[in-house]
Every structure is written in structure tokens, then in C-alpha cells.
Amino acid sequence: MSTQQPKPAAKPAATEKKSGGISAGLILIVLFAIALAIYNFVMGDGSHFEGGTNEGHPLPGDYFGVVYKGGVIVPVLMTCFLTALTFSIERLFTIGKAKGTGDVNAFVRSVQASLDKDDVEGALKACDKQKGSVGNVTLAAIKKYKALTTEKSLDKEQKLAALSKEVEEATSLELPMLEKNLTIIATLASVSTLIGLLGTVVGMIKAFASLGNSGGSTDSSALANGISEALINTALGIGTSAICIIAYNVFTAKIDELTYSIDEIGLSVNQNYATHHN
């Protein structure tokens, strides 16, 4: 008598992963090359200095020449600034796209109004129109909502748990894309200050070294150049850090708003299912 082997359980469908885009490391290398080019060929151009060469003093009021005299730390700080600017613009577009095509608050109210009337099709149409991360999570929740209305093998508590799990899984797929690269911006907020401080120390070392090499007579020009280099790096480091902190806080607040909207819809979906279905 032949024994029939049990069939293996079907594997769950693989979750489609979104493209990670261009490597952050490659972007940093490209931006460093751009910063070097700007430093050497734009700021270091002879037209910004007395005597037509960057060996001379910067022309009065010419800030390109002044910043060039900040020394070798300047291109590194410029790279930090360009990186923060690049990723801030990228996050601005990404988060804007995640909101969808319409006002998020109006979309939440529309979905809640449809679910209050148990109008699942109306809620699905609103999701298709809204798109974006909020629309995607809501669409997944509404589809699960619709599927559970015809499910007979689960009791009410199991259905509500399955609905909550669907919202959590859909949210976990969308949030990483919203928070991507924010860590880089947060890191630059701290690193830029430290790099600026390093430039400050280097400048002060040069300033005091000029005093030591003057043999008793003060070389005011070398002293002034060293102090100037120190202050330029300090200013660039603090300025870049301030921009990074502002950008990080703004984007974090925007992501929190989207997360709140998603949580609000998830709660509304559960409450309406509990009200209208067994």
C-alpha cells in the first residue's frame, strides 16, 4: 500500500523590495570631487586675489578669496555642505511624493467618511486617487478589510488582529523609504562641527607657529592668516551643522505627520470593521 507524501506548504510570496537608488558612498565621492573643483578653480582663481594669484591676499570684500584662505579643510567642509544639500533636496521630493496627489488630512477624512458608511469601494477609489505612501498603506488595509468581510473561518477578534497586522506590515514597507538618508544628515550635523573645530585648531597652530618662527619680532601677516584660517573653518563648520540640524528636524516632523495619518487611518479601519461586521 503506497503512502502518499504530504505536499510541502506553499511558500509565502516574496515581498517586492524597492530600489535603493544610487549608493550614498558614490554620491559622497562625486560631491568631494565637485567641492575640490570649486575650491581650486573657482575660489582659488587669481581674479579673487591681489596680484592676480592665489598666493596674494584676497581682494577686499571678495568672499571667495577669503574662504579659499581657509586651507585644506575647506573642501571637506564644502563636501559636508553639498552632501547635506543634496540629501535634503532628495528627501524633500521623496516625502512630498509620499504624501500623494492630494491633501493628506482631506484624504484621511474622506476614507473615514466612506468607512463610516461601510462604503468600501468609495474608500478604494480614494486610495487609488491619492497614491503615495499614505495611499498605499490605506489601500492595503482596505483590501484586507474587503477580503475579511467574506472570510468565514475566522472569528471577529482574529479578523481584527489580521487587519491590524496588515496595516503594520504595509507601514513597515513604506517607512524605511521615508527615513532613508536621514541618518547621514544627522551624522553630518555633528561631524561638520568637529571638522570645523579641526580646521580651527590647524589655523591656530599656524598662527602660533608663525610667532615661534619670527625670532622675537611678530610676523603680523602670518599671525593674521592663521587666525583667519581658524575662524573661516569655524564658521563653515557651524553653518553646515546648523543647516543639517534644521533639515533633519523638518523632515522628521514631516515623517511624524505622515505616520500619524497612517495610524489614524489604521485605527479607523479597525473601528469601522468592528462596528459593521461580525
Side-chain angles (χ1 to χ4, degrees):
M1 181 176 177
S2 60
T3 303
Q4 186 177 4
Q5 296 293 331
K7 295 181 179 180
K11 294 181 179 179
T15 303
E16 182 180 355
K17 292 185 178 180
K18 297 183 179 180
S19 172
I22 302 175
S23 166
L26 179 59
I27 293 175
L28 285 172
I29 293 173
V30 172
L31 292 177
F32 180 64
I34 293 173
L36 276 177
I38 294 174
Y39 177 74
N40 288 313
F41 301 114
V42 178
M43 295 181 174
D45 185 79
S47 61
H48 303 299
F49 302 90
E50 296 175 354
T53 173
N54 56 29
E55 297 295 329
H57 292 290
L59 293 174
D62 194 319
Y63 291 102
F64 279 171
V66 171
V67 174
Y68 179 83
K69 290 297 182 179
V72 295
I73 304 295
V74 170
V76 180
L77 288 170
M78 288 174 61
T79 303
C80 293
F81 171 76
L82 291 175
T83 302
L85 182 63
T86 300
F87 285 125
S88 294
I89 294 173
E90 183 265 340
R91 285 296 88 193
L92 192 64
F93 280 105
T94 299
I95 295 175
K97 186 178 179 182
K99 289 183 177 180
T101 57
D103 180 70
V104 175
N105 293 326
F107 168 69
V108 171
R109 291 193 298 269
S110 173
V111 171
Q112 288 175 334
S114 297
L115 292 177
D116 286 340
K117 297 181 291 186
D118 200 24
D119 182 11
V120 178
E121 294 301 324
L124 287 173
K125 289 179 181 178
C127 294
D128 290 333
K129 182 179 179 182
Q130 180 70 17
K131 303 184 186 302
S133 294
V134 178
N136 292 340
V137 173
T138 308
L139 181 62
I142 301 301
K143 284 183 177 179
K144 189 67 173 180
Y145 181 107
K146 184 177 181 181
L148 289 174
T149 58
T150 57
E151 178 63 54
K152 303 299 182 182
S153 62
L154 302 176
D155 60 30
K156 187 173 182 178
E157 292 299 322
Q158 289 174 322
K159 289 180 179 180
L160 290 175
L163 197 54
S164 297
K165 184 178 180 181
E166 184 69 23
V167 174
E168 290 174 3
E169 290 178 349
T171 303
S172 67
L173 290 175
E174 295 291 338
L175 280 184
M177 293 303 297
L178 296 179
E179 297 173 348
K180 181 183 176 184
N181 296 330
L182 283 184
T183 304
I184 296 176
I185 295 176
T187 302
L188 288 174
S190 301
V191 171
S192 297
T193 305
L194 295 176
I195 295 174
L197 179 60
L198 175 62
T200 303
V201 172
V202 171
M204 294 307 295
I205 289 173
K206 290 182 178 180
F208 284 106
S210 68
L211 288 177
N213 296 330
S214 60
S217 60
T218 303
D219 187 349
S220 58
S221 177
L223 179 63
N225 287 338
I227 296 175
S228 175
E229 179 176 336
L231 295 178
I232 289 168
N233 285 289
T234 302
L236 289 176
I238 293 175
T240 302
S241 178
I243 292 172
C244 290
I245 292 172
I246 292 171
Y248 180 82
N249 288 334
V250 168
F251 294 136
T252 301
K254 288 181 179 293
I255 292 172
D256 287 343
E257 289 177 7
L258 293 178
T259 304
Y260 176 78
S261 298
I262 291 172
D263 291 341
E264 187 178 1
I265 288 178
L267 180 61
S268 180
V269 169
N270 267 37
Q271 288 177 339
N272 278 278
Y273 189 90
T275 302
H276 296 292
H277 301 281
N278 296 322

